Amino acid sequence: MSPVSSSSIAARRQAFKALHASGCFVIPNPWDVGSARYLQGLGFKALATTSSGYAWSCGKPDGAGSLDEVLEHLRMLVAATDLPINADFESGYASDAQGVVENVRLAIETGVAGLSIEDASGDASQPIRDVDAAIARIRAARRAIDAAGGDVLLIGRAENLLWGVDDMADTVARLKAYADAGADCLYAPGLRTPEQIAAVVAAVAPKPVNLLIGWSSPLSVQQVAALGVRRISVGGALARSAWGGFTKAARAIAQDGRFDTAFADAASGQVLNDFFRTGKLS
């Protein structure tokens, strides 16, 4: 793929910031070049990576990708579309805050328009980092972004609800602390009820909130927007949906020896070829 010009990257970052200024938009999560291009074809205005979706495409569990692998993945997605890319940068791929500074600098160099830093530790015995250590990582990412020109958005993630820490008071307190430490957008994956969502939006206002909807939810984009959410992501849900279709078809062949049900929901090869040839959906 051809390198992306600095002017194009600057324009994408400016457009990404504008998306966060008002309204509500959906930022879906591709896991490879093809899914990224298809999502652009559907008219989405920005895309976000998914650590889980990417890891599964490499035959690894979520969180097992190396820094170098993730940086190359970011470069590929930035080059694949004309859209701003938000990086799921996990906890910065570093053991300490100074390492986060250096790694965020490398992520910025890939051309991403935003990146998230989470407070999950990767340690099953203590899945969420001490709040002071988590704040230090947000501050480190902020320093790296400011040193690079300040045009990349920083998203602070509080992971309590994904790791069984059902403590909304602590989640809200962490998000407020991450906002004070320099996060431009706040994100607590696992919020489900309108009451939880509204509480987070109010707590960090006027900074924008990202809401994850990676499951079957009764909430529509319009309803989420009415709660004050600025952007909606889906995490690994699109990748899981693709894996769901693949595993269902493969199991029908392997376990039942059947091809009639295996490919009943398969996409048309001609339609896919036409799209990837022209970039337009028929």
Side-chain angles (χ1 to χ4, degrees):
M1 294 182 181
S2 301
V4 182
S5 68
S6 58
S7 60
S8 176
I9 290 173
R12 295 183 201 189
R13 289 173 175 171
Q14 184 176 11
F16 197 49
K17 284 194 172 184
L19 285 172
H20 291 75
S22 63
C24 180
F25 68 100
V26 178
I27 181 169
N29 304 71
W31 60 95
D32 62 8
V33 168
S35 57
R37 288 181 175 168
Y38 193 84
L39 290 169
Q40 175 174 299
L42 286 172
F44 291 103
K45 303 301 184 185
L47 304 174
T49 67
T50 160
S51 63
S52 59
Y54 170 61
W56 300 328
S57 74
C58 297
K60 298 180 179 182
D62 189 14
S66 70
L67 173 64
D68 287 343
E69 289 171 333
V70 170
L71 292 173
E72 180 58 24
H73 178 58
L74 295 178
R75 283 189 285 267
M76 289 182 65
L77 290 193
V78 168
T81 82
D82 302 320
L83 300 179
I85 301 292
N86 190 104
D88 178 350
F89 209 54
E90 300 196 50
S91 62
Y93 298 90
S95 59
D96 57 23
Q98 185 54 45
V100 172
V101 174
E102 173 61 17
N103 293 345
V104 168
R105 181 187 67 80
L106 295 173
I108 292 168
E109 290 178 353
T110 68
V112 295
L115 61 86
S116 61
I117 297 292
E118 64 190 43
D119 56 12
S121 67
D123 179 357
S125 65
Q126 186 178 357
I128 306 299
R129 294 183 190 276
D130 174 82
V131 67
D132 290 335
I135 290 170
R137 286 173 177 266
I138 296 293
R139 287 178 175 157
R142 180 78 264 163
R143 290 199 302 275
I145 290 171
D146 290 346
D151 59 350
V152 172
L153 259 68
L154 174 59
I155 294 84
R157 291 178 51 150
E159 301 282 295
N160 277 344
L161 301 177
L162 285 189
W163 292 94
V165 183
D166 189 16
D167 187 337
M168 276 298 298
D170 183 65
T171 296
V172 169
R174 283 172 176 266
L175 292 175
K176 292 173 69 174
Y178 302 160
D180 291 341
D184 300 300
C185 178
L186 290 308
Y187 181 14
L191 299 175
R192 289 180 179 258
T193 69
E195 292 77 17
Q196 289 177 327
I197 298 165
V200 166
V201 169
V204 302
K207 292 194 174 182
V209 168
N210 182 96
L211 177 68
L212 172 69
I213 303 184
W215 47 82
S216 179
S217 172
L219 294 172
S220 67
V221 172
Q222 291 75 18
Q223 289 171 318
V224 170
L227 292 169
V229 170
R230 189 71 76 228
R231 69 184 217 183
I232 304 167
S233 59
V234 300
L238 286 174
R240 289 189 288 104
S241 296
W243 275 101
F246 168 79
T247 55
K248 180 180 178 182
R251 284 174 178 270
I253 299 168
Q255 298 176 357
D256 304 325
R258 297 188 60 173
F259 298 93
D260 54 345
T261 58
F263 306 129
D265 298 322
S268 163
Q270 180 176 341
V271 169
L272 290 173
N273 285 333
D274 287 346
F275 171 74
F276 287 116
R277 185 180 301 112
T278 66
K280 298 179 181 179
L281 291 170
S282 56

